[in-house]
Amino acid sequence: MAYDTLHDADVRSGALADYDVLIFQAQSASSILTGFDQGQVPPEYAGGLGEAGAAEVTAFVEGGGRVIAIEAATDFARDLFGLEVANATADLPNTDFYIPGSILRLALDGESELTTGMRSETAAWYWRSSMAFDVEDPRVRVAARYASGYPLLSGWVLGGDHIAGKPAILEANIGSGSVVLFGFQPNYRAQTMSTWPLLFNAI
């Protein structure tokens, strides 16, 4: 599978026309859009996509491309495409909900192409930057949920009931293309073999 690393200038210059899938790893929406100011980092790393780059991403998806966003980057995709999706635990203090790094049961929707070749349940790595979703958008389909009841497999969880049964992977058609949102890291330290198939299927 051929892949490249794209920089902001590449996206702004129309390079996405040569690609099928664009992956945004865990990075905040503001960082993706605006990045660091000039003088804070070497010039080639300053700035972000900006409005021009965001417009290129929008056109890429509407024209048939796929965007995959992971953890915090899902906020960027949500805002860019106006998806009615929220972080279900965003307002909870860590005295009510806290998962420092544990393995949870993940229930998969067998009807989704993202789960092709997988069993009905797998294990997912969830840590402080992961999220569960609240969804109110009819365009959005749920490909996987954190298991209902007590989702913990290994480690420890405080307030696991706040994410039990909540969506963990979302997909939506936008124009002729699509977006996929991962609430957890499917490639954590290149060790999460149980969730690699989900990422590969999305790609």
Side-chain angles (χ1 to χ4, degrees):
M1 182 182 304
Y3 67 91
D4 286 322
T5 296
L6 294 177
H7 298 281
D8 298 323
D10 298 323
V11 176
R12 289 193 298 268
S13 68
L16 293 181
D18 296 327
Y19 297 92
D20 300 309
V21 179
L22 179 61
I23 301 176
F24 288 96
Q25 258 294 353
Q27 186 179 1
S28 71
S30 61
S31 178
I32 292 171
L33 281 171
T34 61
F36 290 101
D37 294 333
Q38 293 286 346
Q40 287 186 295
V41 294
E44 62 269 29
Y45 300 118
L49 286 178
E51 292 184 7
E56 290 288 337
V57 175
T58 299
F60 168 73
V61 171
E62 291 179 344
R66 167 168 284 184
V67 159
I68 299 171
I70 296 171
E71 293 187 328
T74 61
D75 291 342
F76 170 74
R78 176 201 64 196
D79 296 343
L80 188 63
F81 298 107
L83 301 176
E84 296 178 63
V85 173
N87 182 351
T89 64
D91 297 325
L92 295 176
N94 60 15
T95 52
D96 291 338
F97 174 76
Y98 187 66
I99 303 179
S102 299
I103 299 173
L104 306 184
R105 290 188 296 122
L106 196 68
L108 307 180
D109 180 357
E111 298 299 315
S112 171
E113 64 175 11
L114 303 182
T115 66
T116 299
M118 301 188 69
R119 298 178 179 178
S120 61
E121 190 174 281
T122 191
W125 170 260
Y126 192 110
W127 61 337
R128 285 172 289 182
S129 59
S130 301
M131 61 181 70
F133 298 109
D134 282 326
V135 180
E136 297 184 2
D137 196 320
R139 297 173 295 171
V140 175
R141 303 180 301 281
V142 178
R145 297 177 181 271
Y146 300 107
S148 58
Y150 191 61
L152 182 67
L153 281 175
S154 179
W156 66 271
V157 169
L158 175 64
D161 56 302
H162 290 292
I163 65 168
K166 290 283 189 179
I169 305 175
L170 307 177
E171 52 185 330
N173 294 332
I174 305 292
S176 298
S178 59
V179 295
V180 176
L181 310 183
F182 280 86
F184 61 92
Q185 179 57 260
N187 189 37
Y188 179 71
R189 295 181 178 174
Q191 295 176 331
T192 44
M193 292 180 286
S194 65
T195 50
W196 282 343
L198 295 166
L199 179 59
F200 296 156
N201 284 343
I203 294 171

